[in-house]
Amino acid sequence: MSLQAFVKNKVKRARVVGGFLRNSLIFKLKRQTHAPRYWFTKISTVVVDMDGTLFDADAGNMGLRLMYPDKVDHTTMGDILYEGILHKLAQGQMSVEESILDGNRLLQYQNMHKKDFKRVLEVMWPTRRIELIDALRELKQNQNVKIILATLSSQEFAFMVNEKLSKEHRFTFDGVIGSKLSFDKKGKLLGMKEIMGLKNGYTRNVRVRSKLGALKEFMKNKNWSFSMNQTVLITDSYGDIDMAKHVKTILLVPAQPSTIQAVAAKYKLADKLIPTNTQLKKNLLAVFERVN
């Protein structure tokens, strides 16, 4: 089956994928109407997605694998539960925010602890994109930009990622934003205090903030200047399209993309598309060499 036929089939039966058609139209109209705004002429803030971008893996999936290791036909229960959540999401039976809450509850049922986050990171670490990390380090050294790590996964986990990057790659993000968890005094996971989702609001009485909203708040609290016209988002899929509609966007395209990654690449839902190959660092830095 061709990629186009595959995507069309997915779009027809998956509401979450189908919703991207409307968003992609808005995305492209904004680019056509406000083209000068999206030229890469000056950059002051770079926002980097974590799952699927900084890492080839997903922290939520890795966490469920760790906490539900029993296998059924050579597949861990964690993978089965993760796929179940994705299926409900794709069928429109739950929102992104609800899927985050459900995944978190599954981890709570297994009494996940802060120390387990380190175990997840150790499993996930080999999937980091070293070419991207090297490019970000060089960008930070040579240009006056703030580089922020943004994730729908937990902010606590992202802080651990940042600490490990500092030790092993001599690179540190200037800030980290993500979903916020609550723990007891012994470090046991109790639930979610705040969700990093697609839109500002509330889901099951838990506050939800969009990446863009959280970024604006973070920059304001730091007293750092912020302009959407001077912001670049680096991501791997249209899962960040609500933010991509407002800022310049670079889409990283894996050699073997997932469905949503393939859709984003197929419909060119970014200002720049860069393959995640050995030329990633060179190609990414080339974009920024022409600005500022």
Side-chain angles (χ1 to χ4, degrees):
M1 181 185 295
S2 68
L3 174 60
Q4 185 172 8
F6 175 74
V7 169
K8 283 184 177 179
N9 181 53
K10 289 291 183 182
V11 168
K12 286 180 180 178
R13 70 181 182 82
R15 295 180 189 175
V16 68
V17 178
F20 103 92
L21 291 174
R22 173 179 55 82
N23 282 322
S24 65
L25 177 60
I26 295 172
F27 176 89
K28 291 182 178 180
L29 285 174
K30 280 180 176 289
R31 292 305 192 263
Q32 292 170 4
T33 306
H34 306 291
R37 174 181 173 185
Y38 297 99
W39 290 343
F40 285 67
T41 54
K42 184 173 179 58
I43 303 299
S44 60
T45 306
V46 177
V47 182
V48 183
D49 176 50
M50 187 175 76
D51 298 313
T53 304
L54 183 65
F55 293 94
D56 189 39
D58 181 280
N61 190 10
M62 295 297 103
L64 288 171
R65 281 185 186 179
L66 176 69
M67 302 309 294
Y68 293 87
D70 293 343
K71 292 188 176 181
V72 178
D73 294 332
H74 306 291
T75 303
T76 68
M77 278 301 301
D79 279 320
I80 293 172
L81 291 169
Y82 181 76
E83 290 298 326
I85 290 174
L86 290 184
H87 179 74
K88 289 183 179 179
L89 180 63
Q91 294 300 319
Q93 297 173 15
M94 65 167 60
S95 66
V96 169
E97 293 77 15
E98 288 172 328
S99 71
I100 293 172
L101 279 171
D102 282 358
N104 181 78
R105 285 180 178 175
L106 286 170
L107 298 177
Q108 285 178 251
Y109 293 155
Q110 294 297 89
N111 296 315
M112 192 173 196
H113 192 279
K114 274 188 177 180
K115 62 185 179 184
D116 292 317
F117 283 30
K118 294 182 179 180
R119 297 167 60 198
V120 172
L121 183 54
E122 289 303 318
V123 174
M124 195 168 171
W125 193 247
T127 75
R128 69 196 184 282
R129 289 200 164 95
I130 295 177
E131 286 272 335
L132 173 58
I133 296 168
D134 289 346
L136 294 173
R137 183 179 62 245
E138 189 167 324
L139 179 64
K140 189 174 180 180
Q141 290 171 346
N142 298 334
Q143 297 200 31
N144 183 29
V145 297
K146 299 296 184 185
I147 305 180
I148 310 298
L149 180 61
T151 176
L152 302 187
S153 296
S154 82
Q155 181 173 267
E156 291 80 5
F157 182 79
F159 279 132
M160 291 182 181
V161 169
N162 208 23
E163 184 177 347
K164 196 169 178 66
L165 284 170
S166 178
K167 291 179 180 178
E168 296 194 16
H169 291 278
R170 296 178 291 107
F171 167 75
T172 306
F173 284 97
D174 296 298
V176 170
I177 56 176
S179 297
K180 297 179 181 179
L181 307 179
S182 60
F183 302 87
D184 66 14
K185 293 181 179 180
K186 294 183 179 181
K188 179 183 174 182
L189 178 61
L190 296 178
M192 302 200 75
K193 293 191 295 186
E194 189 172 272
I195 302 170
M196 185 72 72
L198 302 185
K199 295 181 180 180
N200 297 319
Y202 286 84
T203 295
R204 299 178 189 168
N205 297 318
V206 179
R207 184 190 180 196
V208 179
R209 292 191 303 166
S210 68
K211 280 188 179 180
L212 184 57
L215 176 64
K216 289 179 178 178
E217 185 177 315
F218 175 83
M219 299 293 281
K220 181 179 180 180
N221 290 339
K222 288 286 188 178
N223 291 317
W224 291 343
S225 61
F226 174 74
S227 168
M228 289 195 293
N229 293 350
Q230 297 177 16
T231 298
V232 170
L233 168 68
I234 302 176
T235 186
D236 68 300
S237 76
Y238 68 80
D240 282 325
I241 196 170
D242 282 320
M243 184 172 181
K245 286 184 291 188
H246 301 285
V247 304
K248 291 177 279 285
T249 305
I250 296 173
L251 185 74
L252 301 189
V253 185
Q256 296 180 322
S258 66
T259 300
I260 58 174
Q261 289 170 334
V263 168
K266 173 67 179 178
Y267 289 89
K268 298 181 180 179
L269 301 183
D271 301 287
K272 303 286 184 181
L273 274 67
I274 298 178
T276 58
N277 54 28
T278 57
Q279 298 300 306
L280 170 58
K281 177 183 175 181
K282 176 183 177 181
N283 291 335
L284 184 60
L285 289 176
V287 175
F288 292 96
E289 285 174 358
R290 296 190 291 271
V291 301
N292 295 337

